[in-house]
Amino acid sequence: MNKTSFIYTTYIATTPEKLWAALTNSEFTKQYFFGREIDSDWQVGSSFKLMNKDKVEHHGEVLVCEPYRLLSVTWSVKDGEGERVSKVTYELTPMNGTIKLTLRHEDLLEKDIRKDEGKMEGFNNGWPVILSNLKSLLETGKILSAF
């Protein structure tokens, strides 16, 4: 099977410290990631879990952790055929009071990208909503009312 990637870039009026906290702290993630909490000590080689209540939805290992700049983890993907591993990387680039946030979700299969943009199925539809919620939360203190 051919592997593919999804890349999404947004610009957020915030500081690297606030954005980093939003990406790595459950108090933030549960606000913009639809109630999900993230759990890790963010040391390279450590595990991380993305939890919805008491259920682990995604898990993986911390590959790179350079605070305020770069975070990369393996990311479990579950489907009807079982579980496989992909990779998610967040890159933070300061730009005069704005942070360029680039998300790369790699080692995906073509079926992970969905053409129906009217739904949040598929990483190409889900990540933009999550990161838009994150941007809104950091810039206004509120998530988007549509979600």
Side-chain angles (χ1 to χ4, degrees):
M1 290 189 217
N2 292 335
K3 295 220 174 167
T4 190
S5 297
F6 175 74
I7 300 170
Y8 186 82
T9 299
T10 189
Y11 297 83
I12 305 173
T14 191
T15 66
E17 295 81 9
K18 288 180 182 176
L19 180 52
W20 187 262
L23 294 172
T24 60
N25 182 305
S26 277
E27 293 306 310
F28 281 100
T29 59
K30 66 184 175 184
Q31 293 178 67
Y32 70 84
F33 216 128
F34 306 102
R36 287 156 181 85
E37 297 184 58
I38 200 156
D39 180 38
S40 181
D41 66 10
W42 303 113
Q43 300 298 309
V44 172
S46 291
S47 66
F48 93 93
K49 294 183 227 172
L50 184 67
M51 314 265 305
N52 188 2
K53 298 183 175 48
D54 292 328
K55 180 184 174 203
V56 176
E57 286 192 347
H58 298 282
H59 61 89
E61 178 183 321
V62 178
L63 301 172
V64 178
C65 184
E66 298 175 16
Y68 319 121
R69 195 181 93 64
L70 188 66
L71 179 63
S72 186
V73 297
T74 60
W75 186 276
S76 65
V77 178
K78 299 173 189 169
D79 60 26
E81 299 170 20
E83 187 172 287
R84 55 195 155 82
V85 176
S86 62
K87 179 175 147 185
V88 171
T89 301
Y90 299 96
E91 183 177 355
L92 291 67
T93 306
M95 300 177 70
N96 296 325
T98 298
I99 305 300
K100 176 184 176 184
L101 174 63
T102 302
L103 171 124
R104 285 182 181 80
H105 198 151
E106 301 171 275
D107 299 326
L108 296 171
L109 300 179
E110 290 178 16
K111 67 181 179 179
D112 295 324
I113 305 299
R114 303 287 173 84
K115 302 297 182 214
D116 184 359
E117 296 174 5
K119 297 180 182 175
M120 286 191 355
E121 294 177 7
F123 291 109
N124 58 309
N125 295 316
W127 278 121
V129 172
I130 293 162
L131 295 181
S132 293
N133 256 351
L134 167 63
K135 176 180 171 60
S136 182
L137 179 64
L138 288 172
E139 291 180 346
T140 71
K142 299 181 230 174
I143 61 169
L144 299 170
S145 59
F147 307 105

